[in-house]
Amino acid sequence: MAEFIKVAKVSDVPEGEVIGVDVGETRIAIANVGGSLYAFGAECTHMGGPLDEGFLEESLLQCPWHAGTFDVSKGEAVDAPASGTIPTFPVRVQGDDIMIEEPS
Ligand code: FES
């Protein structure tokens, strides 16, 4: 059964912001889209750009390196040069703690 682990506090991720956290050796980005939290792999599918340093507008996150864009609610690339999907992780909120399903 999947385990959920604490990765950040809700107050660490204001609405409209994205942050990065290290979970083991995996860099995970957490975005707050209108109060809904999404967790996903922080490595861009194009050339590995740091998505946790990208630009978030509603659910669209633009990679800081070449402006490829992902819909973080689905993990899908929606604009080139990004393509394919990034891994997404289920999120739970317990009190002020953000928990995500541990990456396997
Ligand atoms: S590394 Fe993200 S668009 Fe190129």
Side-chain angles (χ1 to χ4, degrees):
M1 193 161 132
E3 294 220 4
F4 279 73
I5 54 172
K6 179 185 162 185
V7 292
K9 295 207 164 289
V10 174
S11 52
D12 293 336
V13 197
E15 204 168 308
E17 299 283 322
V18 57
I19 66 165
V21 295
D22 291 314
V23 179
E25 303 203 340
T26 306
R27 185 80 171 159
I28 305 282
I30 302 168
N32 183 335
V33 179
S36 297
L37 295 165
Y38 297 96
F40 47 94
E43 190 174 321
C44 181
T45 56
H46 178 225
M47 292 179 70
L51 296 178
D52 53 314
E53 295 173 18
F55 310 102
L56 186 67
E57 188 168 337
E58 299 192 347
S59 67
L60 299 181
L61 179 68
Q62 194 176 63
C63 177
W65 282 6
H66 315 103
T69 304
F70 296 86
D71 183 335
V72 301
S73 69
K74 302 182 183 119
E76 293 173 357
V78 295
D79 204 2
S83 62
T85 58
I86 46 176
T88 57
F89 305 95
V91 175
R92 280 186 193 159
V93 173
Q94 286 184 357
D96 190 38
D97 292 336
I98 300 172
M99 324 272 293
I100 68 162
E101 192 173 299
E102 193 164 21
S104 52

